[in-house]
Amino acid sequence: MGPKKKPEKDLRKDYQITLQSSLVIALLVAVGLFKFNVDFGGEFVIEQIDRIELEIEDIIQTEIIETPPPPPRPPVPIEVPDDAIIDDDLLDMDAFLDMDAGFDAPPPPPPPADDFEDEIFVVVENMPEMIGGQAALYDALRYPDMARRAGIEGRVIIQFIVDEQGRVQNPQVVRSAGAGGLDEAAVAAISQMRFTPGMQRGRPVRVQMTQPVIFRLQ
């Protein structure tokens, strides 16, 4: 057996009496509070504050719409007079057609005339030919004494026109040999030449030609 508890140390000895006394005191305090009228000297008013309601609206993003151009104006109507009614001519059905009679046809138009009088050709069907050839040209050519003594040689190009009779017209130097009188000698030799005339559609015509003349010392 264990040791005996001391009476002053035993907490359960007065537990029931202490609990009941506490409950009675608590009950009396509660009844006294309900019967006691407390006046604080004024009215205690609780002011009611109006509640503000906030509405959140969704912001709709605006869309920019391009306005199309206005349609073109319709054309202004133009007043057109009413078409005149044309009376059809009455056909003369009493006309008599003689099938045995001959028809007088108009004569055919004359063929177009080839007017070559003022025209100068460069190329024709039959080109002019120098009578006697190049030998005749160099037989007529005279080498200038001044150019011979100075030892000048060169080439001269002459442009000219052969007319309908084969004669040389309007000889001109288109490329010169320089000094020494070679240009003048070439023109003089060409002017003495005769050609067979150029032919176009069976007719003699004027033809432009070019002839080189070479000066060379032996």
Side-chain angles (χ1 to χ4, degrees):
M1 293 183 62
K4 295 182 178 181
K5 296 181 181 180
K6 295 180 179 182
E8 62 273 14
K9 300 295 185 180
D10 190 4
L11 298 176
R12 294 182 175 273
K13 180 179 180 180
D14 298 327
Y15 175 75
Q16 293 292 333
I17 298 173
T18 304
L19 179 60
Q20 292 176 359
S21 300
S22 299
L23 290 175
V24 171
I25 293 170
L27 181 60
L28 293 175
V29 172
V31 172
L33 289 176
F34 277 104
K35 290 185 176 183
F36 184 73
N37 187 12
V38 180
D39 188 6
F40 293 96
E43 294 182 359
F44 184 73
V45 179
I46 299 175
E47 184 178 359
Q48 185 177 359
I49 301 173
D50 295 336
R51 184 175 57 184
I52 301 174
E53 296 182 359
L54 297 179
E55 295 182 1
I56 300 175
E57 296 181 357
D58 295 335
I59 299 176
I60 302 175
Q61 186 177 0
T62 57
E63 181 180 359
I64 300 175
I65 302 175
E66 296 182 359
T67 305
R73 294 183 178 180
V76 179
I78 301 175
E79 183 178 358
V80 179
D82 297 336
D83 296 333
I85 300 175
I86 302 175
D87 294 333
D88 295 332
D89 295 333
L90 297 177
L91 297 178
D92 187 6
M93 302 303 295
D94 296 335
F96 177 74
L97 180 62
D98 189 1
M99 300 300 295
D100 296 334
F103 294 97
D104 294 333
D114 295 331
D115 188 7
F116 298 149
E117 294 181 0
D118 298 332
E119 188 172 358
I120 298 176
F121 292 85
V122 178
V123 178
V124 291
E125 296 173 353
N126 297 325
M127 293 294 293
E129 294 182 1
M130 185 181 297
I131 299 174
Q134 298 293 320
L137 173 62
Y138 284 97
D139 287 343
L141 184 62
R142 296 294 179 263
Y143 212 111
D145 293 337
M146 182 176 62
R148 188 188 300 275
R149 290 194 299 269
I152 299 174
E153 297 180 348
R155 181 180 183 182
V156 182
I157 298 179
I158 307 298
Q159 187 179 80
F160 55 93
I161 296 173
V162 178
D163 64 7
E164 294 88 348
Q165 287 76 33
R167 295 173 298 190
V168 175
Q169 292 182 349
N170 194 23
Q172 295 180 356
V173 177
V174 295
R175 181 177 178 182
S176 175
L182 301 182
D183 296 347
E184 292 78 4
V187 171
I190 289 292
S191 299
Q192 298 176 25
M193 295 297 100
R194 291 294 181 268
F195 291 80
T196 59
M199 303 295 291
Q200 181 71 13
R201 297 183 184 179
R203 295 182 55 186
V205 293
R206 296 194 298 171
V207 182
Q208 178 179 292
M209 299 187 65
T210 302
Q211 176 65 46
V213 180
I214 300 174
F215 290 86
R216 183 174 300 167
L217 294 172
Q218 298 297 332

